[in-house]
Amino acid sequence: MHQKIFSKSRIKIFIGFTGLFFLILNGCFPHHPQSTFNTQGPVGLEQERLFILMFWLAIAVFAIVQSVLIYVLINFKRREYPIPGTDIRIPDVPPKQVHGNTKLEIIWTIIPVFLLAAIAVPTVQAIYSTAKPPISENVFEQPLEIEVVGHQWWFEFRYIDEGIVTANELYIPTGRPVNIQLKSQDVIHSFWIPKLAGKVDLVPNNNNTMWIQADTPGDYSGQCAEFCGIAHGRMRFRVHAETPENFDKWLESMRTPPVPFVGEGYGLFLANCSMCHTIDSYTSGSYEREVKIQDERWSDWYSDPEGAVRVSAPNLTHLAMRTTIGSGEQELNRENLIKWIEDPSYFKEGTRMQEVAQIYEGKKAKLSASEIEAITDYLLSLAPPQLESSSTQLETELVSKEWDSPEEQGEYLFTSYGCASCHSIDEDETKIIGPGLWDIYEKSVSKVEGLSAEEYLEQSIRYPNEYIVEEYPEGVMPLIFENLPVEEIESLIAYLKTLSKK
Amino acid sequence: MTTLKYPTFIPRPKEEYSGFLGTIWSWITTVDHKKIGTLYGITAFIWFLVGGIEALLIRLQLYAPEAKVLSPEVYNQVFTMHGTTMIFLVVMPLSAAFFNWIVPLQLGARDVAFPRLNAFSYWTFLFGGILLNLSWIFGEAPNAGWFAYAPNSSFPYNPGYGVTFWIIGLQALGVASLAAGFNFLATIINLRAPGMTFFKLPVFIWMTAVVNVLIVLAFPIITVALLQLMFDRQFGTNFFNAVQGGDPVMWQHLFWLFGHPEVYILILPAMGIVSEVLPTFSKKPLFGYSFIVFSGIGIGFLGWFVWSHHMFTVGLGPAANSAFAISTMLIAVPTGVKIFNWIATLWGGSIRINSSLLFSVGFIAMFVIGGLSGVTHASPPSDAQQQDTYYVVAHFHYVLFGGAILGLFSGIYFWWPKMTGRILNEKLGVAHFLVTLIGFNVTFFPMHWLGMDGMPRRVFTYPEGMGWDLSNLISTIGAFSIALGTLIFIFNVFFSTRGPKNAGNDPWDARTLEWTISSPPPHYNFAEIPEVKYRDDFWFKKYPELAHGEVSGASASEVNNDDDHHVEMPDLSYYPFFLSLSIVLILGSLLDLSWNGSWYIAGVGILMFVWSLLGWSFEPVNEETSNQKDH
């Protein structure tokens, strides 16, 4: 009995051989973070197998057609015979005038049909098998649900069930399917992690789904694959596939608040960055708040791109835990972060941050080198306690400071929390972003019925959206003073009282 | 009863011109299909150089990671314009140059069906191309890709003039293509020589017919889509605006419903050329004429059912993806038939290897590679990894450069003697072929690997450490080799003008009617319209012993000598020129509606439009010039 040509073992040898072939190619060029060969998950593997099947069929057709072509050119080249003793050369006799051969032509019409059928069947199978993850009875193997939102030019990751929001670095557990819902807030992007799965587009108003699974722990490089504007080439991300235990640890740490940081950087961040960048997505309710506010930020920009002061931006909660900045563009370290804050276009031209934020207005940051360093130190402190870096020394000296009067403390807090960046304290009440604060205490007395000036000011600091001064947009002031100690509120109000002629 | 008459106070273009301005005026007023073909050819070749320079800029920017040759914005403009230029301003008009030159000659006709409409097509193409490229002067060339996906091509993501230039430029080019499409269909249907039934048509004519059916059916779709996009941009409608409930995917459907037939509009003319070149140089009839013709028609037909394979990653769902995967794979069948039949045409022939044949063979070899890589992304799961990567860039350059451009060069070497009376230098031609073929493969073959290695398209740079450095460097070197090949060709053309016009009527011992007349042909083409008995009529009249039946009577070449037979040809006209100019002025005025000058431009355009349309309508055709003055 003779063996079938396409027995299973032969196919295995074939695939193995192909693997070897590309491994050798890999060997010549060692580091290939985005290679679509040697994939590490079931979806990518299925796609790779299909390609390899077609690859060998194509190689066979290619070899046959090109060798026949070359043979024909050599064998049927026109020969001319010289007539001895003269310059005249005569061509050989005209060839037989064949007009065609119906049988032959039908044969070579049908052969490709069979070849294509051999591709079409596994193609349709793979289309369906890669569309949805396999259904599992086991509760612990249920897919992890993640929402990916495309923004110009970064990716937002929302863990729907865990209530966690992060950006540009996706953590997933190994060996477990991950269901991804793909959305876009602005233009069309495409979500692609070559080592794990082919791409699926993020289309506004047309939500898509895909699933991935990483079988081995590791960092996988991903990139936006649909042309989406000026920084398309710089819209990258990382996927960290962790063992289930490590993944759970990561989830836990994402829910843990960072060690409090007191220093100039905090205030500068609040004043200049916090309108667009959320940093507190570890608290309860923060998920819904972030989803809502991200929409509002974007609507601000969309309805008035020229005049907007905020735009949707990556969530920076526990930024220090990440490995990259600028949406997967650069390694996260102090030096790069300083450069990034100073001038985002140094790494990435066209960011909405540089275009919209008031400290940039399209140019370099209007901050001194020491201010930028202070913000950098603050950002690098954003990590849960066990990961927290050596920046703790900074805060101690500041906490222990003694104040002569509540007004003095209030003034200090007013500056270090960055209130002055949005609120003018001058007599002429220039509008910066928020309302001017000259004479604010007097004005507050009768602002809201039933609230004393003190109560009104406290409410405005803790819950700024409760009352919005006319002509000012809602939701611009960051909601991060909710838990300020009573003593600090009091000294802030004491300071605000001094902003008056009296 | 009164009838409207052409006013006598408006001067008519004269037949005789002198001096430099006279020469220019004679080209502006010409309605001769050969002169218009030459205009198409020269213009398209100049755009080819422009598009080529854009390609070199792209390759320079990508030669190494983090190169700083172009800024991201300029890079986006350059790759958008490279694609748009090569498709709409190079391959289509270069094919149109061949349609113009060759179709009437192969049909045994004296001109196309509507000579003035033909001139109108050319001028609209020229002005449309200029309008599109004027955007460079504003520093705001189109930057949304040749596919201009909404909403990235709309406000507020893409303010500025770039995409508007792209829209109005393409509208003008669409008008040009549509007019030419109807014209060539009318020509092929009505102006065939007596006895030339459809199945005696040369295959090049057949492919021209299929292409023009595709043009006539596909361009209205893009016209509507562009109109919608323009309304979204200029008048605040929401066809593709997701925020207001519009659908950006709709743009993709409309664009590719046009865009995929467009691919066959680009490749089928080259297939027609190859089908003429191979039989001529192997001295055999085309193998399986009807299979080749019907597979051409089949490609044109199936081309309408595959557009969504450009959208496999858009999320149309497994059912739609399966359907379009299978319809796409089906296209490989008629394409394969053509390849096999071409090789069978060569088989057993007496093959004369020269530059024209080499380019045709190069076409087959490269097109096979492009076709096979095409099959690998006809399969959506495999395509999920390839879509929008350099693998696709490699694929379509194998089809459009390795296919269309090599095929068109083959046609240039083949018909150059007929067009100019001179044969291009053979050694330079072979050098041009070798340098181009090698340069082409060095440029585009590594891109297969780059794509499979995860490098996306349309990125203005890439970081170090991705493993893409070497392949990109090789590719850039290859691009400059192609440029060198093109320089050899240009040198060959200039070199040839120094030689004598000694090609003779039939330098290749060819097969079809255009070779029966002198080179270059007289302005009336055929002194007497030939009668046709056979497919490849001229060949079998030359070699009656090769035909199965008896061939009797004089061959066409004996009838058509070079005497002037006082054939009446259509009169010159300047109205097509001004009608085209007026249309482009009106389109141009849409650029910036907030600028008051736009209204003046539009006003001038509309007045000129009405004037030229009336003039065109009442212009006396074939007037007897000698009698004109007496009345």
Side-chain angles (χ1 to χ4, degrees), chain A residues 16 40 46 66 97 125 149 159 217 238 250 270 278 280 356 413 419:
Chain A
Q40 299 297 317
E46 184 86 27
Q66 307 288 22
Q97 302 292 298
Q125 282 172 342
V149 187
Y159 293 73
R238 297 268 170 98
W250 178 77
L270 291 181
T278 308
D280 62 346
V356 169
L413 290 172
C419 309

Side-chain angles (χ1 to χ4, degrees), chain B residues 491-563:
Chain B
F491 179 71
N492 198 350
V493 168
F494 279 110
F495 186 71
S496 84
T497 58
R498 300 167 62 98
K501 290 191 180 184
N502 59 357
N505 289 8
D506 183 20
W508 310 127
D509 194 9
R511 316 174 72 83
T512 40
L513 289 178
E514 74 269 33
W515 305 103
T516 62
I517 53 176
S518 60
S519 310
H523 71 280
Y524 50 82
N525 296 353
F526 297 92
E528 228 170 90
I529 300 298
E531 279 197 37
V532 171
K533 279 188 179 160
Y534 302 94
R535 195 184 289 158
D536 293 340
D537 192 69
F538 182 39
W539 172 258
F540 288 112
K541 279 182 177 149
K542 279 190 289 188
Y543 302 102
E545 70 281 4
L546 294 178
H548 294 300
E550 284 285 303
V551 178
S552 59
S555 88
S557 60
E558 286 165 35
V559 176
N560 281 299
N561 48 37
D562 289 344
D563 292 344

Side-chain angles (χ1 to χ4, degrees), chain A residues 205-441:
Chain A
N205 245 5
N206 293 261
N207 298 348
N208 283 327
T209 57
M210 72 185 288
W211 74 283
I212 56 171
Q213 180 178 317
D215 289 334
T216 36
D219 289 354
Y220 302 104
S221 177
Q223 189 161 5
C224 174
E226 183 60 86
F227 178 65
C228 56
I230 185 167
H232 165 58
R234 300 253 193 244
M235 188 172 165
R236 313 165 65 81
F237 61 98
R238 297 268 170 98
V239 175
H240 302 287
E242 305 279 357
T243 58
E245 301 79 50
N246 284 345
F247 178 72
D248 287 341
K249 273 184 207 156
W250 178 77
L251 286 181
E252 195 47 45
S253 63
M254 285 304 281
R255 295 190 184 106
T256 317
V259 176
F261 177 91
V262 181
E264 200 196 355
Y266 181 47
L268 285 167
F269 180 86
L270 291 181
N272 297 307
C273 322
S274 63
M275 253 193 292
C276 305
H277 293 289
T278 308
I279 39 155
D280 62 346
S281 282
Y282 42 78
T283 55
S284 67
S286 61
Y287 180 87
E288 289 73 18
R289 204 161 61 222
E290 174 70 353
V291 170
K292 183 165 167 273
I293 202 165
Q294 198 69 278
D295 255 2
E296 290 170 2
R297 288 172 187 149
W298 185 72
S299 303
D300 270 14
W301 177 81
Y302 184 83
S303 53
D304 181 15
E306 300 287 314
V309 293
R310 56 177 192 163
V311 66
S312 45
N315 193 306
L316 298 185
T317 307
H318 293 337
L319 178 78
M321 286 171 71
R322 296 187 197 158
T323 56
T324 61
I325 51 165
S327 119
E329 258 309 305
Q330 296 292 326
E331 293 306 314
L332 172 62
N333 56 42
R334 196 163 186 277
E335 193 190 342
N336 282 347
L337 195 52
I338 288 173
K339 276 188 198 152
W340 173 252
I341 297 170
E342 187 191 4
D343 181 12
S345 66
Y346 182 83
F347 292 130
K348 186 168 176 172
E349 269 184 60
T351 53
R352 292 262 180 265
M353 169 159 82
Q354 197 161 22
E355 174 191 309
V356 169
Q358 302 241 316
I359 49 162
Y360 294 110
E361 286 175 336
K363 301 180 189 75
K364 283 189 179 184
K366 296 172 214 157
L367 296 169
S368 70
S370 65
E371 285 172 320
I372 290 172
E373 282 186 35
I375 295 179
T376 305
D377 287 330
Y378 168 67
L379 288 174
L380 288 174
S381 81
L382 291 175
Q386 66 269 32
L387 283 166
E388 214 252 333
S389 58
S390 59
S391 57
T392 25
Q393 301 157 346
L394 273 169
E395 58 193 272
T396 41
E397 54 174 296
L398 294 161
V399 173
S400 57
K401 198 160 181 175
E402 296 266 325
W403 302 103
D404 297 334
S405 67
E407 286 82 4
E408 197 190 345
Q409 186 188 6
E411 187 174 6
Y412 174 78
L413 290 172
F414 191 84
T415 327
S416 64
Y417 285 147
C419 309
S421 309
C422 297
H423 299 284
S424 83
I425 49 170
D426 303 330
E427 205 169 333
D428 54 5
E429 297 194 29
T430 20
K431 179 179 169 181
I432 309 177
I433 291 167
L437 296 182
W438 182 254
D439 244 0
I440 187 69
Y441 187 80

Side-chain angles (χ1 to χ4, degrees), chain B residues 438-489:
Chain B
I438 294 167
F440 165 74
N441 279 290
V442 172
T443 310
F444 295 105
F445 201 81
M447 289 187 186
H448 290 113
W449 171 244
L450 275 175
M452 293 313 284
D453 206 21
M455 179 166 170
R457 296 169 75 176
R458 300 165 188 143
V459 291
F460 71 94
T461 193
Y462 49 95
E464 283 172 46
M466 302 302 286
W468 304 334
D469 305 10
L470 182 64
S471 303
N472 272 304
L473 182 62
I474 293 172
S475 182
T476 299
I477 293 168
F480 281 88
S481 319
I482 298 176
L484 177 67
T486 309
L487 286 179
I488 296 174
F489 172 72

Side-chain angles (χ1 to χ4, degrees), chain B residues 21-267:
Chain B
L21 286 175
T23 314
I24 293 202
W25 186 243
S26 78
W27 284 94
I28 286 178
T29 55
T30 188
V31 292
D32 180 355
H33 72 99
K34 298 179 289 294
K35 282 181 120 177
I36 293 171
T38 305
L39 287 172
Y40 259 115
I42 292 172
T43 315
F45 192 76
I46 291 170
W47 291 131
F48 179 64
L49 299 180
V50 172
I53 289 167
E54 284 157 1
L56 292 180
L57 286 173
I58 293 173
R59 284 317 319 167
L60 271 180
Q61 167 65 16
L62 295 177
Y63 85 96
E66 303 290 351
K68 297 230 181 322
V69 179
L70 303 176
S71 74
E73 175 57 28
V74 174
Y75 180 86
N76 291 347
Q77 295 179 8
V78 168
F79 86 69
T80 301
M81 285 302 282
H82 168 71
T84 309
T85 301
M86 286 302 190
I87 287 166
F88 294 102
L89 302 181
V90 178
V91 178
M92 282 185 74
L94 211 51
S95 306
F98 284 110
F99 299 163
N100 264 292
W101 254 100
I102 304 305
V103 167
L105 295 182
Q106 284 196 333
L107 288 175
R110 291 197 172 123
D111 207 318
V112 293
F114 308 111
R116 286 181 299 173
L117 189 65
N118 198 23
F120 168 77
S121 295
Y122 168 72
W123 294 113
T124 313
F125 149 67
L126 176 70
F127 295 141
I130 291 173
L131 179 65
L132 187 60
N133 278 276
L134 269 184
S135 56
W136 288 118
I137 293 172
F138 286 75
E140 289 188 48
N143 60 357
W146 90 281
F147 48 92
Y149 273 3
N152 190 37
S153 53
S154 308
F155 297 127
Y157 311 105
N158 209 327
Y161 291 142
V163 177
T164 313
F165 266 116
W166 183 81
I167 291 171
I168 57 181
L170 252 56
Q171 291 291 36
L173 296 172
V175 170
S177 298
L178 278 170
F182 285 113
N183 205 347
F184 284 109
L185 284 178
T187 306
I188 292 169
I189 292 168
N190 295 307
L191 298 188
R192 284 166 289 130
M196 188 182 270
T197 58
F198 275 101
F199 282 88
K200 286 177 188 161
L201 284 177
V203 173
F204 178 70
I205 303 277
W206 261 114
M207 292 308 118
T208 307
V210 175
V211 164
N212 285 294
V213 169
L214 291 179
I215 287 178
V216 164
L217 295 177
F219 268 85
I221 303 172
I222 190 70
T223 303
V224 170
L226 288 171
L227 206 64
Q228 290 180 319
L229 188 63
M230 190 183 83
F231 267 68
D232 271 13
R233 287 177 59 86
Q234 307 288 77
F235 305 111
T237 57
N238 296 307
F239 291 106
F240 310 117
N241 181 357
V243 174
Q244 300 292 332
D247 192 357
V249 178
M250 194 59 189
W251 166 263
Q252 299 192 15
H253 280 299
L254 289 172
F255 185 83
W256 291 117
L257 194 49
F258 149 79
H260 201 81
E262 171 71 17
V263 172
Y264 298 114
I265 291 171
L266 300 174
I267 192 66

Side-chain angles (χ1 to χ4, degrees), chain A residues 42-43 128-136 141-145 176-180 209-213:
Chain A
V43 180
Y128 280 88
S129 76
T130 53
K132 284 201 173 78
I135 297 159
S136 167
E141 286 171 12
Q142 292 306 314
L144 178 72
E145 298 286 336
R176 180 176 165 194
V178 180
N179 254 343
I180 301 179
T209 57
M210 72 185 288
W211 74 283
I212 56 171
Q213 180 178 317

Side-chain angles (χ1 to χ4, degrees), chain A residues 107-155:
Chain A
I107 289 172
W108 67 49
T109 310
I110 289 177
I111 291 177
V113 174
F114 281 109
L115 282 179
L116 290 169
I119 296 171
V121 173
T123 290
V124 175
Q125 282 172 342
I127 289 175
Y128 280 88
S129 76
T130 53
K132 284 201 173 78
I135 297 159
S136 167
E137 303 272 307
N138 189 336
V139 188
F140 299 103
E141 286 171 12
Q142 292 306 314
L144 178 72
E145 298 286 336
I146 292 176
E147 199 172 274
V148 174
V149 187
H151 300 267
Q152 279 181 326
W153 290 269
W154 57 281
F155 289 98

